[in-house]
Amino acid sequence: MALTQALTIGIDIGGTKVAAGVVDPEGNILDRLRRDTPTKDPRETEDAIADIVRDLESRHDVIAVGIGAAGFVDGTRSSVLFAPHLAWRHEPLRDAVERRLGLPVVVENDANAAAWSEWRFGGGQGESHLVCVTLGTGIGGAILNDGALQRGKFGIAGEFGHMQVVPGGHRCECGNRGCWEQYASGNALTREARELALSGSPVAHNLLRAAAGDPRKINGPMVTELAKDGDPVAVELLEDVGRWLGIGLANLAAALDPGTFVIGGGVSDAGELLLAPAREAFKRTLTGRGFRPEARIVRAVLGPEAGMVGAADLAREEATWLRRVRVKTTAVTAKTAAARGGRSTRLDRAARKSASRRTGMRAAVDPELQPGQLQLNKTAELQGDPEA
Amino acid sequence: MGLTIGIDVGGTKIAAGVVGTDGTIGARAHRDTPANSVDETARAICDAAAELIADHDVEAVGIGAAGFVSSDRSTVLFAPNLAWRDEPLGRRVADVLQVPVVVENDANAAAWGEFAFGAAKDVEHMICVTVGTGIGGGVVIDGELLRGAHGVAAELGHMRVVPGGHRCGCGARGCLEQYASGRALVREGRAQAESGSLAAAQMLSVCGITDPAELTGPMITMAAAAGDPCAVELLDDLGRWLGEGLASFATLFDPSTIVIGGGVSAAKELLLNSAKVAFEKNLPARANRPHPTFGLAELGNDAGIIGAADLARRPAPAQEKAAPQAAQAPEVTAPSDAPGAAAEQPQ
Ligand SMILES: [Zn+2]
Ligand SMILES: [Zn+2]
């Protein structure tokens, strides 16, 4: 079996469970498993991951494991610097799981993993400048330029949810006030709906009835369901969230100028009820509107398992390093850089990086090499040598 | 050898220089920017370049211009000060000079200058904000200039920081440049003086003027450097807005270095310190992440010339490498169309 046909496992670590799937190269999930994680202790979570992988491995021939985790994943994609729901601090997750399994492991931010699968298999296919926004309880984000995830210097770029949109606004768990995710996330939708119901307003009658009379039981999916049935208040609540979504997207367009925004996450189940007002607000707040091309805003197509599929696919990328196109590209870039002289050291560095960015692999590239001679040092990668 | 020309097209002046591969400027040429005439501006640019080409063996010309520059690196989609609309500036200049010409956004050019030869020469991820009359932004990710799908990325000055805030020339409200630019500094200074504040009256006398309308940004900076409390406070406010804005940008780009340049950065620590404090206080999840470093730009007014010249030497990334998958050209929607007209329906 060629490596490019091989199966990989994608894992989604949530606050209370670990979900895993065996994924083929076309992004199909062939098998699924899920375990509750009783504690937030990293050791026990790692054990749960190893267990679940061994279980799936007994039925499928897999070559690598990708893990999507909410939180800050470092630039080498090995450690979780900070996970909001898991009390993890500088947790060397990749090495810990690799040690237990003997398989190559990739750790990726969950929103990055979801974005990757939307680019490979979903709503962002073929887009050279893609920005993905995942609306769950919070807001996750990812930037993909020419098919390369933009991770930033420390691995934590694309945290759109904590961009400030209202000075002195709602308090956010990140320590600030007025973050975007306090206005355009599932939590924001729920908060607004509950507030309305608590105010005793008669317009919230249907909402309250759906929640059996208890405002605290109102949740996002309830609002979406009611809105789809035409309840005017639910429609309005989604409109408000959509408007904040569009305002934030206009900000992102000023900074990132993407060709397409893909909107995913649970709240995006509301479809046009959310996206139509978002497009409207985007159009009305975009800087320089009328004098610039505008990005498309579309819904994600892969649903809640996008992160799992993306993590698995990134693990496959990592494991199948022999990519002729990339190798050639890198060699040309490196040669051009060498020929330029003067700043060649720096440009060589950039050339190496552009090779490594594509796959996440740190490739050892000698700028003097001809295309056919190029070597990628996978061994060093598995040993975690940062300068390989 | 390996000389290129960098040209900085400002609202009043066109400054050109011959730049070596080490980023040093040799000969220079200047022209006034003709007011409101597209043809005359293009001619003045050609003039300045031709003067330098006459005495130097030049490979290419890079032009930094304020406004939206298309991803073809030739067409100016829109320039706020220069009455350009979909102007094929690069092609026109290249036709006259008979050398390759690239056009870049001026803030991108300045950012690239600082990245390649200035305050950020040792890093691969940086954000540069140019605080002048307005605010320009430039972002370098993994050693590459961020241009976006259409060429108009990194307009950091037009990120909204105050819902329903001050009206901005870009058509929106509450953009950062309405709070943290030189224009904002002067607006606030004048407003304070007009309100009859004694502190502001003292500031005016330090500046040697009596009419608030005569107040300028450099005057405020000078007064602050002399210790005038009102001027210090004005710059402090400006720095705070800037720092808060940069904290948001850092969540998007995760840079290792943030560089502050432009005319207002002449205030140095008076601006930088409060920006830094506000940044540190507003960086999301600040306790659990590495923080970028902060610095002042090093190349001054030459950053745009040096950056444009160096970018002229470099093909755009898209021209340099093949996309890993068949990436289609980004869809350019005419402004009058709804941006979502081509959007996929939910499945
Ligand atoms: Zn936040
Ligand atoms: Zn603006």
Side-chain angles (χ1 to χ4, degrees), chain A residues 287, chain B residues 157-158 168 170 172 175:
Chain A
T287 183
Chain B
H158 297 287
C168 180
C170 77
C175 297

Side-chain angles (χ1 to χ4, degrees), chain A residues 120 150 153-156 158-159 164 167 174-176 251 254-255 257 283 289 299 329 333 346-347 353 357, chain B residues 115 121 123-124 141-142 149-152 154-155 160 171 248 251-252 254 282 285-286 314 320-321 325 339 346:
Chain A
R120 289 272 288 130
Q150 306 294 312
K153 165 68 176 177
F154 306 110
I156 56 181
E159 286 288 338
Q164 191 189 55
C174 77
N176 283 358
N251 254 4
D257 181 28
K283 265 179 66 170
R289 56 189 177 279
R299 188 179 163 191
T329 307
T333 314
R346 174 161 196 152
L347 289 169
K353 283 190 172 183
R357 267 189 341 179
Chain B
F115 169 75
K121 62 175 173 287
V123 305
E124 296 293 334
I141 298 175
D142 256 343
H150 316 107
V152 301
E155 286 289 346
R160 192 174 90 151
S248 271
T251 67
L252 310 187
D254 183 23
N282 284 277
R286 47 203 162 271
R314 299 170 51 94
E320 205 171 299
K321 34 179 206 238
Q325 295 202 337

Side-chain angles (χ1 to χ4, degrees), chain A residues 243-307:
Chain A
R243 204 171 48 86
W244 279 112
L245 175 64
I247 287 168
L249 293 179
N251 254 4
L252 293 181
L256 295 161
D257 181 28
T260 303
F261 285 106
V262 170
I263 312 300
V267 184
S268 72
D269 290 347
E272 289 304 297
L273 289 164
L274 177 81
L275 294 188
R279 289 191 195 105
E280 184 68 25
F282 177 78
K283 265 179 66 170
R284 285 188 52 180
T285 43
L286 184 64
T287 183
R289 56 189 177 279
F291 298 101
R292 58 179 286 162
E294 291 173 10
R296 303 186 307 147
I297 299 173
V298 304
R299 188 179 163 191
V301 300
L302 297 178
E305 289 179 322

